[in-house]
Amino acid sequence: MPDTILVIVEQREGKLNRVSWETLAAGQAIAAQTGWMLEAAVAGAPSVAGEVAAKKVSKVYALESPQLATYTPDAFAAALKQFIALKQPRLVLMPHTYQVRDFIPKLATTLGRTAITDCIGYRKEGDKLLFSRQMFQGKFAADVSFSCDPPWFVTFQNGAFRGDRVEAGAGAAPVETINIEIADGVIRNKPQEVFKETKQAVDLTQAEIIVSVGRGIKEQKNIEVAKQLAEALGGELAASRPICDSGWLPMDRQIGSSGQTVAPKLYLALGISGAIQHIVGMKGAKTIIAVNKDSEAPIFEIADYAVVGDLFDIVPPLIEEVKKAKTGT
């Protein structure tokens, strides 16, 4: 039998994290190149398995246990350890989310393995798979391979692959329920309400449209024009680090190496020069529109559409056109 790639998809309250589709797309790409079989697993929400089974996978496993109903790192690590030991996949892929970051060190070490995390891509060199991860805030990318025996654990950064390009299956893949036994005393912490920093905190990784501002906005009061554009488009407002460092927007709105990494369908960069620390946080966007007075701004190197001009001349008419398009006038 061929080796197996296992994608662990992530769900919360019965809803798949959209980054899971990106990881599944990565698994499909690697499977096509290596000839390995692709399977998927979901823990704690068997209802989600059917969604994954509609994609191009050989099989989907629904891991069930009362202790998996609410996430804890101990329960997830214990359950996945049992399952992986049973199925013995060669490669295990996961999205690089806060939840995965919480339990994957424990999972890998309990199996005596290592993990290559926060990867932005991969390539096949002969019989070896190399996984690329950024270093020094995106200034360099290193290709890393495994020297240990399988299973190999890899997490992919948000935006590394196109979730909207995940292939559908010719028919629904079979779903197998795996009952997991977790012994008393394994779970050392009691789950509490999901942590949120503030009532205003926003998860920009789930936004489909983002309007982001940089130094070109000049003054805090001018952020209002970007906010109006975001509202007109039905998107979220974000910023580069200098804006958040100045206190003009909350830190949860920051995009970049020290903020959030996003991959929306549309990213509008207003007055952002394009420092590497910002680019690593948004380059996975499907479409990037950049507005900047400097025709040599680095942001234009990755933009799909480059608008050279003053954002204060460009954005207000754009808001009006968006509103007209929505009302049909």
Side-chain angles (χ1 to χ4, degrees):
M1 287 186 64
D3 289 319
T4 302
I5 302 168
L6 177 67
V7 175
I8 308 295
V9 299
E10 179 177 309
Q11 60 80 28
R12 176 172 288 183
E13 298 177 347
K15 183 178 180 181
L16 274 173
N17 187 325
R18 74 173 194 172
V19 189
S20 293
W21 297 123
E22 298 177 10
T23 311
L24 197 59
Q28 289 178 342
I30 297 173
Q33 199 166 8
T34 59
W36 298 350
M37 185 166 59
L38 178 64
E39 297 181 339
V42 58
S47 60
V48 172
E51 292 182 57
V52 183
K55 305 304 180 182
K56 188 178 179 181
V57 293
S58 298
K59 196 171 188 177
V60 179
Y61 299 94
L63 310 187
E64 288 196 39
S65 171
Q67 292 94 329
L68 294 175
T70 303
Y71 169 76
T72 62
D74 286 335
F76 269 55
L80 290 172
K81 178 185 176 182
Q82 288 182 42
F83 176 68
I84 289 168
L86 175 67
K87 295 299 178 181
Q88 297 187 335
R90 187 172 185 84
L91 178 63
V92 181
L93 304 179
M94 304 182 198
H96 192 71
T97 61
Y98 289 114
Q99 182 171 291
V100 170
R101 281 183 253 181
D102 191 36
F103 73 76
I104 196 171
K106 179 179 177 66
L107 173 61
T109 52
T110 55
L111 288 168
R113 299 294 184 266
T114 56
I116 302 176
T117 59
D118 207 16
C119 297
I120 58 172
Y122 81 95
R123 62 187 176 90
K124 191 170 182 287
E125 191 175 88
D127 294 330
K128 183 180 291 187
L129 280 174
L130 301 175
F131 296 92
S132 300
R133 63 188 313 276
Q134 294 171 330
M135 302 179 70
F136 303 107
Q137 295 189 327
K139 292 182 174 65
F140 300 98
D143 288 334
V144 187
S145 64
F146 289 96
S147 59
C148 62
D149 293 330
W152 300 330
F153 294 91
V154 174
T155 69
F156 279 112
Q157 186 182 106
N158 179 26
F161 290 85
R162 293 283 296 270
D164 58 348
R165 291 183 180 175
V166 65
E167 295 182 59
V175 176
E176 180 180 345
T177 299
I178 303 291
N179 292 308
I180 300 292
E181 297 290 336
I182 300 176
D184 293 339
V186 168
I187 301 175
R188 298 167 296 173
N189 60 326
K190 183 178 179 180
Q192 302 293 325
E193 185 179 352
V194 176
F195 175 74
K196 294 181 180 179
E197 291 186 7
T198 67
K199 292 181 179 179
Q200 292 77 33
V202 60
D203 184 3
L204 294 174
T205 65
Q206 304 302 310
E208 295 192 347
I209 299 174
I210 293 176
V211 177
S212 192
V213 296
R215 294 178 188 273
I217 205 70
K218 295 182 181 178
E219 297 181 72
Q220 184 175 9
K221 65 179 183 180
N222 294 333
I223 292 177
E224 181 62 27
V225 70
K227 182 180 179 181
Q228 290 175 11
L229 178 57
E231 290 174 349
L233 291 169
E236 292 286 353
L237 181 64
S240 60
R241 179 171 178 171
I243 300 302
C244 295
D245 281 349
S246 299
W248 294 0
L249 281 176
M251 296 303 295
D252 63 320
R253 297 279 175 176
Q254 181 182 326
I255 302 296
S257 58
S258 55
Q260 297 195 50
T261 299
V262 299
K265 291 182 179 179
L266 176 63
Y267 190 90
L268 286 94
L270 307 179
I272 295 175
S273 62
I276 186 64
Q277 290 84 356
H278 184 78
I279 287 176
V280 298
M282 45 67 73
K283 63 181 178 57
K286 311 303 181 289
T287 301
I288 299 170
I289 300 175
V291 179
N292 201 295
K293 290 194 296 185
D294 181 6
S295 62
E296 301 297 322
I299 192 74
F300 288 148
E301 295 179 11
I302 64 164
D304 297 287
Y305 299 94
V307 182
V308 179
D310 191 326
L311 70 89
F312 299 107
D313 294 331
I314 294 165
V315 174
L318 178 58
I319 294 170
E320 294 305 314
E321 290 301 318
V322 171
K323 289 179 178 178
K324 287 179 183 178
K326 291 176 72 174
T327 58
T329 57

